[in-house]
Amino acid sequence: MAIKRDKKEEEDGGNPFQSLDKTSVLQDARTFNETPVEPRKCTPILTKILYLLNQGEQLGPAEATETFFAVTKLFQSNNTLLRRMVYLGIKELSLIAQDVIIVTSSLTKDMTGKEDLYRAAAIRALCSITDATMLQTIERYMKQAIVDRNPAVASAALVSSLHMSRIASDVVKRWVNEAQEAVNSDSIMVQYHALGLLFHIRKNDRLAVTKLVAKLTRMSLKSPFAVCMLIRIACKLLEEESSGEYADSPLFDFIEACLRHKSETVVYEAAAALVNLRHTTTRQITPAVSVLQLFCSSPKPALRFAAVRTLNKVAMTHPTAVTSCNIDLENLITDSNRSIATLAITTLLKTGAESAVDRLMKQIASFVSEISDEFKIVVVQAIRALCLKFPRKHGTLMTFLSAMLRDEGGLEYKASIADTLISLIEGNPEAKESGLAHLCEFIEDCEHTSLAVRILHLLGKEGPKTKQPSRYIRFIYNRVILENAVVRAAAVSALSQFGAQCPDLLENILVLLARCQMDTDDEVRDRATYYFSILQNQDRHLINNYIVEPPQVCVSSLEKALMLHLMETPEEVFDLSSVPLAPPPLSDEVQAAPTVVQEPLAALGRPAVSKEESASDRLRAIPELSWIQGPLFKSSDPISLTESETEYQVRVTKHVFKNHIVLQFDCTNTMSDQLLEKVRVQLEVSEGYQIVAEVPCQRLACSETSPTYIALQFPDAPNLTVTNFAATLRFVVKDCDPMTGIPNSDDGYEEDYMLEDVEVMLADQMQRLTKSNFGAAWEEGESYSELEDTYNLSGINSLEEAVRSVVSFMGMQPADRSDRVQPDKSSHTVYLGGMFRGGVEVLARAKLAMGNSPGVAMQLTVRSPNPDICELIISVVG
Amino acid sequence: MDGLLLEPTLYTVKGMVILDNDGHRILAKYYDPSVFPTSKEQKGFEKNLFNKTHRANAEIIMLDGLTCVYKSNVDLFFYVMGSSHENELILMSVLQCLYDSISQILRKNVEKRTLLENLEIVMLAMDEICDGGIILEADPTSVVQGVALRTDDIPLGEQTVAQVLQSAKEQIKSAILK
């Protein structure tokens, strides 16, 4: 019995602060008001208050103020410990309590007093209650304190000054001489703090910082922290020198010399700095890498961690430099610290050979469940890079990823795995079937709606093209039965894709869709009904245009167009082709994977304002141009018509409408002594074009940018539209005072300035159009007119380059990922889809082959309902 | 490679935390308002941190974008956090200083009970080590000198003989153990 009680007492007594209650503790704080103050009673109470605050207890302003004033009473006691706790209390309460400046005089007295134990802490407490105006009244004391002989006092003053510079930087700036003196202090911490403050004050004055660094690198600081700081400053200076040449820089020599410092902290800092500098060559970082290699076998986990983390970064920029450390990294794979092991493995994956992959994957699998999500994502990214590097290893990697997918983890982690799998599927036809199977399995038990929707969309896109589409139906239909409405709707859409593309499954799909029409959710029912009626019709044209290739209009423009239609001409039939197309997301090779997967549902949710739309609104606001018919079809990216460092800079943006083109010239005046007026661009238009409107810019002061516009009507014959215009900038110059910008006189003189030619290209008039099933669309285009020609693309030496230039020249969207060239092939076919201005569909097929002769041979076939457009394309290519 | 070079600043430490062996907070300080601004986020982080670290005695971990170095003894866990690009060794020296100072203050009895009995001195010590994220002192001896030790409160003349003997004994012991 007695033992039991003892045990219980021990548990209760284990933490005297366990069951503290805010109200009762604040009640106890009234003891502070008693005179004389009893330190033995008050100290524990104050400790309790601080403990409660530290536990996250919130005090209201009234409570805090009351407590604060009670605490100030404790200044009457001269007990050292109590006084020090009072300072802590002041610092904590000053954030919430009011009228805290009341203790300024007490603190100032302690700060200038004789008791060293008080002075440093009093300075820090004082600065926590001081504002910018009050700071000036204690400025004198602060200056003295910075150069005080007691290091604790000097450090406290320097650190507090740095805190204060956030609210009163101009006051603190005046203390630069004192800080300068403090850098020479014997105390290592004072040195460090003084350097920090000096740099902070002068960081915008490059010359002063350079001088400071030059001086300090010579005098060899004693504090390792200060040397680390100095290395960072030196790096910053090196980085700002844009020359990118470090070889002769004394700063670089200094950092390199730090690799031989006696403190490990400094050695590591220097090594990390060398590695992270942007322009270091592999040879320059070799000494740093050898130092890191040594650290890899250190008994201290933190040092090993630091070394591997840095080597991991090096592996991205200078993989060859890290190969020499491979043996050391191998040893770290079995490190008891999982973070170190993971970093070691991912580094090895980046630098290692194909043969090592299997072994490394097995190693990671053994502890992947023990590491944090962040590291798992690092691993996934490394695997993704591997997939691109060694496509043959997809089997091992994919199995590993699917195992990871089944583990516990957050959305971000799961999404990164799904992204990797999707990019694998898209990039590697061999991996498609097994990848889809893994994803199917994953959605069976996926709690993240957004991921499930993405995967269902992918299944709908890729599933019908596999050898055995029927096996996916079950997985998809299971979603319809088991999931929430959003996922059900996505599943219905995916099902319809199978119905549209696999005729032998159509019957069954219709049955399933009919069942979905009974769903409880509107969206699901609507979709089911929509797809059901189209599929039942069995009209290939309808199916192709409304299921396989749904209309790709820009949703926010569609909304606007419909509103306009209802207001103006509700009795007429709405013309969908007048709505601008939504441009397919730009995909560039490596990052293609995650972005290519569009989320049809999510896209509806966020109305993205496209480049065209904002430009369209701007053009509509200009009275001279507002009459132009039709919506804006396409806006090009701005192209510079001048060199980048000339006195006047002009950039042109081409806005294409159905029958017109508006050229927007953004002119910039960089001459500080000139005011430009009546700025306009004179064009020498080629045959067929007609200038219909011109909007000059009336006034252009220095460093201003302002647009001038020219509207042209396209020629009727499309083959005249691709051409060049010679352009000249014309304006009236008035000399003016560079300071004020006011012209010296009212008289100006005319001046002109040659610009580069403005080109109107095929790509300007073409909108990219995604064809997710190019084969079907191409077959349907048999009724269109067709033209074919062969070309020799000279000056292009690889298929990839040829594909890139064809795609960008035509301004069309490659379908079925045909822009990705399989390596080691000598021929390749690109399928392109596009929409010519005016809403005319264009399809193109380009067969490319590398021959014996230099250059790439191309056979281009173009199909379009309008024969003139075919002719135009055939004629301008080449 | 952008942003990997460290901005030269004295603000190195993002936080210091002492937890008990159930993962409950004994003392915690967070110095960067952009890192875990609310008490709820802080507690969530501490829970996560404790779960990841209480079994493996591995000294360093990366969590929620922070590099955390840690050390445990009997029923206490000491943590120091810094940005994920921070020099880990600097953080380690702060942790070492925190631990050694507390060890000296508690006369080598680094456990929850003694720590709570001397909580006010530990608070002062943490305040001496780091001020608003800037490392103020990294030498444990200076830290301990900087905080007023309890026995110093009583002038030597007023201490009992036993007290004097006790403190002398402890000082000799610690000198030998060093």
Side-chain angles (χ1 to χ4, degrees), chain A residues 340-352:
Chain A
I340 297 178
T342 318
L343 281 171
I345 290 183
T346 48
T347 314
L348 280 174
L349 286 178
K350 281 178 196 144
T351 59

Side-chain angles (χ1 to χ4, degrees), chain A residues 147-297:
Chain A
V147 291
D148 197 280
R149 223 175 308 141
N150 183 325
V153 174
S155 277
L158 286 163
V159 169
S160 301
S161 314
L162 196 54
H163 292 316
M164 294 308 291
S165 65
R166 282 188 206 165
I167 52 166
S169 60
D170 43 336
V171 181
V172 175
K173 273 192 183 135
R174 295 201 291 258
W175 307 345
V176 69
N177 287 335
E178 283 74 16
Q180 192 85 54
E181 197 178 327
V183 173
N184 301 326
S185 160
D186 289 335
S187 156
I188 56 169
M189 287 318 277
V190 175
Q191 235 176 33
Y192 171 57
H193 295 136
L195 174 60
L197 181 64
L198 265 184
F199 173 73
H200 182 81
I201 293 176
R202 293 196 165 154
K203 70 178 164 196
N204 294 324
D205 180 353
R206 212 186 126 73
L207 191 68
V209 175
T210 316
K211 268 191 200 157
L212 177 69
V213 173
K215 183 180 146 211
L216 292 180
T217 47
R218 275 197 308 274
M219 75 183 234
S220 74
L221 294 165
K222 266 176 274 165
S223 156
F225 295 153
V227 182
C228 289
M229 178 82 183
L230 199 56
I231 292 175
R232 290 183 198 179
I233 301 176
C235 282
K236 199 171 147 72
L237 287 176
L238 276 176
E239 208 68 341
E240 283 165 2
E241 274 168 25
S242 53
S243 69
E245 190 49 59
Y246 301 140
D248 327 311
S249 164
L251 294 173
F252 189 82
D253 293 343
F254 162 72
I255 300 174
E256 203 163 31
C258 286
L259 285 176
R260 294 178 289 281
H261 198 273
K262 60 181 183 296
S263 157
E264 276 174 344
T265 313
V266 175
V267 175
Y268 169 67
E269 183 74 41
L274 285 175
V275 165
N276 285 331
L277 275 172
R278 212 165 311 174
H279 306 291
T280 35
T281 60
T282 306
R283 204 173 58 81
Q284 280 168 327
I285 64 165
T286 315
V289 172
S290 357
V291 164
L292 293 173
Q293 187 177 4
L294 271 182
F295 285 168
C296 279
S297 45

Side-chain angles (χ1 to χ4, degrees), chain A residues 83-99:
Chain A
R83 182 68 61 86
R84 293 293 297 275
M85 292 305 283
V86 168
Y87 298 146
L88 267 193
I90 289 173
K91 281 204 276 190
E92 290 292 331
L93 290 167
S94 67
L95 301 172
I96 8 176
Q98 290 149 353
D99 302 325

Side-chain angles (χ1 to χ4, degrees), chain A residues 9-10 13-18 40 43 46-48 50-51 53-58 79-81 84-85 88 91-92 117 120-121 124 152 155-156 159-160 162-164 166 189 192-197 199 203 225 228-229 232-233 235-236 239 264-266 268-269 272-273 275-278 295 300-303 305-307 309-310 313 316-317 336-340 343 369-375, chain B residues 1-12 18 20 24-29 31 33 38-39 42-43 46 48 52 55-70 83-94 112-139 143-150 152-154:
Chain A
E9 262 173 19
E10 203 170 29
N15 185 352
F17 301 97
Q18 195 91 72
R40 272 176 204 290
T43 313
L46 188 49
T47 312
K48 281 178 189 162
L50 288 172
Y51 177 80
L53 285 173
N54 200 281
Q55 290 295 317
E57 193 77 55
Q58 301 288 335
N79 180 300
T80 332
L81 180 62
R84 293 293 297 275
M85 292 305 283
L88 267 193
K91 281 204 276 190
E92 290 292 331
L117 277 175
R124 293 191 286 132
S155 277
V159 169
S160 301
L162 196 54
H163 292 316
M164 294 308 291
R166 282 188 206 165
M189 287 318 277
Y192 171 57
H193 295 136
L195 174 60
L197 181 64
F199 173 73
K203 70 178 164 196
F225 295 153
C228 289
M229 178 82 183
R232 290 183 198 179
I233 301 176
C235 282
K236 199 171 147 72
E239 208 68 341
E264 276 174 344
T265 313
V266 175
Y268 169 67
E269 183 74 41
V275 165
N276 285 331
L277 275 172
R278 212 165 311 174
F295 285 168
K300 293 184 200 159
L303 195 50
F305 178 88
R309 186 174 66 89
T310 315
K313 273 187 263 171
M316 289 190 251
T317 47
S336 60
N337 185 324
R338 294 310 183 208
S339 306
I340 297 178
L343 281 171
S369 57
E370 294 170 41
I371 53 181
S372 63
D373 267 15
E374 272 131 336
F375 270 112
Chain B
M1 292 297 278
D2 267 356
L4 287 181
L5 279 180
L6 295 167
E7 174 67 22
T9 168
L10 293 186
Y11 293 93
T12 313
I18 304 176
D20 70 8
H24 294 304
R25 174 194 286 189
I26 295 178
L27 285 174
K29 283 296 227 178
Y31 300 109
T38 68
S39 161
Q42 293 174 1
K43 294 253 165 106
E46 281 159 31
N48 199 354
K52 294 276 183 207
R55 258 174 286 122
N57 199 358
E59 194 173 285
I60 186 160
I61 189 174
M62 244 174 165
L63 197 67
D64 289 347
L66 294 176
T67 299
C68 313
V69 291
Y70 60 99
S83 109
S84 59
H85 302 301
E86 191 49 70
N87 185 333
E88 288 84 351
L89 301 181
I90 296 185
L91 297 177
M92 257 333 265
S93 51
V94 177
K112 185 176 168 188
R113 204 187 161 119
T114 37
L115 187 127
L116 286 170
E117 279 165 10
N118 295 284
L119 192 66
E120 65 278 19
I121 315 254
V122 174
M123 283 178 175
L124 288 177
M126 277 176 82
D127 182 60
E128 283 290 316
I129 293 170
C130 182
D131 185 278
I134 299 178
I135 306 170
L136 198 58
E137 184 52 77
D139 172 33
V143 172
V144 176
Q145 274 169 9
V147 299
L149 271 175
R150 216 175 254 182
D152 299 344
D153 295 353
I154 321 166

Side-chain angles (χ1 to χ4, degrees), chain A residues 649-666:
Chain A
Q649 289 164 17
V650 180
R651 300 190 333 148
V652 66
T653 311
K654 290 166 276 187
H655 304 285
V656 174
F657 290 82
K658 191 173 173 203
N659 295 320
H660 298 87
I661 178 167
V662 174
L663 302 173
Q664 172 186 341
F665 299 94
D666 289 314

Side-chain angles (χ1 to χ4, degrees), chain A residues 85-116:
Chain A
M85 292 305 283
V86 168
Y87 298 146
L88 267 193
I90 289 173
K91 281 204 276 190
E92 290 292 331
L93 290 167
S94 67
L95 301 172
I96 8 176
Q98 290 149 353
D99 302 325
V100 288
I101 48 168
I102 195 100
V103 288
T104 306
S105 62
S106 308
L107 287 172
T108 319
K109 204 173 114 210
D110 281 355
M111 160 181 174
T112 50
K114 283 207 188 70
E115 178 65 86
D116 277 346

